[in-house]
Amino acid sequence: MQNAISKFEQLLNENVNYFSTLENEVSEVKTPGKWSKKEIIGHLTDSAIHNLVRFTEINYVEKPYQYRTYNQIDLVNLNQYQKMEISELTALWFSINKQIVSIMKSVDEKALDYKIVLSDQSEIDLRFLMTDYVEHLEHHINQIKS
């Protein structure tokens, strides 16, 4: 878990300043069927919100934890990330993720084995969900930087 946390902190620290320097001409460019760079950061913010809830809720709700999905496209559109100032969007994304780092650092070793039931009834554990979250973040950061 420590490797995932270190990678997570590195991704946050390397990109918080980078995101806020993106010019509107670059961050708002859209191609059909794709999100703009701003909207990708917005999606990462939505993902952070949902995963912060998951990472904390799993500690006190009935087990196994029932994973709830969310409509990513609707959330990006409803939150109007495309219209937000990039500095405000970046601050929101960074702040929520800093809290997730804190949760990941303090999670009980036993809790990492808590079972999570996905919508297709397959099972993962909290360790996998947290590690996968960091990989998801890295994937989208690479999209933003391309």
Side-chain angles (χ1 to χ4, degrees):
M1 195 78 236
Q2 187 54 48
N3 289 342
I5 294 169
S6 295
K7 183 178 186 178
F8 189 16
E9 289 181 306
Q10 181 180 356
L11 287 168
L12 293 178
N13 293 329
E14 286 177 355
N15 291 288
V16 65
N17 293 325
Y18 171 73
F19 286 176
S20 59
T21 64
L22 291 172
E23 298 292 327
N24 284 340
E25 297 78 36
V26 173
S27 66
E28 293 179 355
V29 172
K30 289 185 63 111
T31 57
K34 302 279 185 184
W35 283 328
S36 68
K37 292 179 188 301
K38 263 190 185 176
E39 289 172 323
I40 294 171
I41 298 168
H43 163 66
L44 289 174
T45 303
D46 292 335
S47 178
I49 291 166
H50 282 81
N51 280 291
L52 178 60
V53 170
R54 291 171 181 146
F55 297 166
T56 54
E57 235 180 20
I58 195 169
N59 290 284
Y60 63 85
V61 298
E62 185 179 329
K63 313 292 185 291
Y65 183 78
Q66 300 296 313
Y67 183 92
R68 293 182 311 275
T69 60
Y70 60 96
N71 190 317
Q72 300 172 14
I73 295 169
D74 283 346
L75 278 178
V76 166
N77 292 334
L78 287 167
N79 282 303
Q80 300 181 15
Y81 295 121
Q82 185 75 349
K83 295 179 181 178
M84 283 183 77
E85 290 296 324
I86 193 68
S87 60
E88 291 176 18
L89 179 56
T90 301
L92 178 62
W93 167 80
F94 185 70
S95 179
I96 297 166
N97 277 290
K98 289 297 284 186
Q99 181 61 24
I100 292 174
V101 167
S102 178
I103 294 295
M104 289 173 76
K105 284 181 172 181
S106 67
V107 70
D108 183 89
E109 189 68 29
K110 221 170 71 175
L112 292 172
D113 294 326
Y114 287 161
K115 296 298 174 212
I116 299 169
V117 178
L118 303 177
S119 57
D120 67 0
Q121 300 307 304
S122 61
E123 289 187 1
I124 59 173
D125 58 23
L126 181 58
R127 178 181 286 103
F128 177 85
L129 188 61
M130 287 180 164
T131 304
D132 187 62
Y133 176 74
V134 176
E135 291 173 8
H136 171 259
L137 177 67
E138 182 177 40
H139 165 75
H140 284 300
I141 286 173
N142 289 336
Q143 282 183 316
I144 292 165
K145 289 184 163 182
S146 68

